[in-house]
């Protein structure tokens, strides 16, 4: 009679062990369902937020005025002779002499540029024989125009012609000015976005995108080109007045507005 109660106690223990995994599965399933429900609620909030969102696209420009800091002069030597070698020899002598004069001045950057040799046919009607024509250009750049200007007349006296003279912004100077121009453009964008949002009864909540564009570098001033032509005609050292140049940056942005 004693063993019977012992078997009766064992059965509930086995049932409890079998039921534990089922309860655990239910708990896991509830957690997963809760996560899905929360995700759907978040998507719903995002959809509702998108419905009240307004995109504002604006463009603005910033411009900085500054005097240029580089003066560049371009000369060319040209010679003609019955043979190509003779024409080239004359040009080489002229260019070497001009470059030696420039290299003797501290603060100048000197470089030889294009070199061409062409043949000119004879003109029997005007009694002009066939010739070979050689030509080479040299570029001289100075950060201080007072250094370069006195040298121009001396180089022209060595039978080189001045084809270009202009002021420009050096790369480091222009980079610094461009950063200032971009800052002005971005500041104007912010002010306009705030003003537009206030007028619409909305608030700027974030910026979706920003794009910065650099405007083209200024071309040589016409007065500099004319001065160069006049200088090559009378072989005198030209004047190079300095005028401010503009550096402009454009900013485009998309602002997100909400009530």
């Amino acid at each position: 009679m004693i063993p019977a109660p012992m078997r009766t106690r064992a059965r509930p223990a086995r049932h409890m062990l079998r039921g534990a995994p089922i309860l655990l599965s239910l708990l896991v399933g509830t957690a997963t369902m809760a996560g899905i429900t929360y995700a759907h609620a978040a998507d719903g909030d995002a959809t509702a937020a998108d419905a009240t969102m307004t995109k504002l696209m604006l463009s603005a420009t910033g411009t900085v005025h500054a005097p240029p800091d580089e003066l560049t002069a371009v000369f060319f030597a040209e010679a003609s002779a019955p043979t190509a070698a003779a024409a080239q020899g004359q040009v080489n002598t002229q260019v070497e002499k001009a470059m030696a004069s420039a290299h003797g001045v501290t603060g100048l950057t000197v470089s030889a540029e294009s070199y061409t040799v062409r043949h000119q046919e004879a003109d029997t009607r005007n009694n002009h024989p066939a010739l070979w024509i050689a030509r080479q250009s040299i570029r001289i750049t100075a950060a201080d125009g007072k250094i370069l200007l006195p040298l121009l007349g001396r180089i022209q006296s060595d039978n080189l012609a001045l084809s270009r003279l202009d002021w420009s912004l050096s790369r480091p100077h222009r980079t610094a000015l461009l950063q200032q121009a971009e800052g002005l453009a971005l500041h104007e964008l912010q002010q306009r976005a705030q003003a537009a949002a206030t007028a619409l009864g909305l608030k700027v909540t974030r910026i979706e995108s920003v794009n910065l564009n650099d405007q083209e570098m200024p071309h040589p001033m016409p007065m500099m080109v004319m001065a160069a032509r006049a200088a090559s005609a009378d072989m005198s050292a030209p004047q190079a007045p300095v005028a401010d140049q503009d550096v402009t940056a454009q900013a485009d942005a998309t602002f997100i507005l909400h009530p």
Side-chain angles (χ1 to χ4, degrees), residues 5-251:
M6 291 178 64
R7 286 194 298 271
T8 302
R9 293 191 191 97
R11 289 192 189 100
R14 285 195 296 270
H15 287 302
M16 288 177 65
L17 290 173
R18 290 170 185 163
I22 298 174
L23 179 59
L24 181 60
S25 298
L26 290 173
L27 289 173
V28 173
T30 303
T32 305
M33 291 298 292
I36 295 173
T37 303
Y38 178 79
H40 284 313
D43 290 342
D45 292 342
T47 303
D50 290 342
T52 61
M53 177 185 71
T54 299
K55 287 188 176 183
L56 176 65
M57 291 174 285
L58 295 174
S59 295
T61 58
T63 301
V64 178
H65 312 280
D69 61 334
E70 273 190 354
L71 181 62
T72 298
V74 178
F75 295 89
F76 70 89
E78 186 173 87
S80 58
T83 65
Q88 289 176 279
Q90 294 178 37
V91 166
N92 292 345
T93 300
Q94 294 173 9
V95 169
E96 288 173 2
K97 186 176 181 180
M99 293 186 70
S101 298
H103 282 306
V105 179
T106 303
L108 298 181
T109 301
V110 186
S111 59
E113 296 192 326
S114 61
Y115 194 111
T116 60
V117 180
R118 62 184 177 87
H119 184 257
Q120 180 176 287
E121 298 293 340
D123 184 355
T124 56
R125 288 182 296 182
N126 295 315
N127 199 27
H128 290 164
L131 293 172
W132 286 91
I133 300 174
R135 176 170 175 160
Q136 184 173 20
S137 298
I138 63 172
R139 177 186 297 270
I140 305 175
T141 302
D144 185 355
K146 296 179 181 179
I147 299 175
L148 177 57
L149 288 175
L151 182 65
L152 302 184
R154 192 158 74 241
I155 293 179
Q156 286 176 296
S157 66
D158 293 332
N159 296 324
L160 271 76
L162 179 63
S163 62
R164 176 182 170 187
L165 178 66
D166 60 83
W167 283 99
S168 61
L169 297 168
S170 64
R171 186 174 295 276
H173 191 198
R174 190 173 188 278
T175 299
L177 295 173
L178 179 60
Q179 291 176 352
Q180 296 180 29
E182 290 174 344
L184 292 175
L186 292 172
H187 182 66
E188 182 180 346
L189 277 182
Q190 291 178 324
Q191 289 186 323
R192 291 179 58 190
Q194 293 292 344
T198 301
L200 295 170
L202 303 173
K203 295 180 180 179
V204 177
T205 56
R206 62 185 177 89
I207 301 175
E208 185 177 69
S209 63
V210 177
N211 185 37
L212 295 173
N213 292 315
D214 178 14
Q215 301 298 313
E216 293 183 358
M217 293 187 68
H219 297 287
M221 292 175 286
M223 60 182 299
M224 292 296 95
V225 177
M226 290 188 290
R229 292 172 180 169
S232 62
D234 60 17
M235 303 296 286
S236 60
Q239 297 298 314
V242 181
D244 284 357
Q245 295 191 11
D246 297 341
V247 175
T248 301
Q250 178 177 331

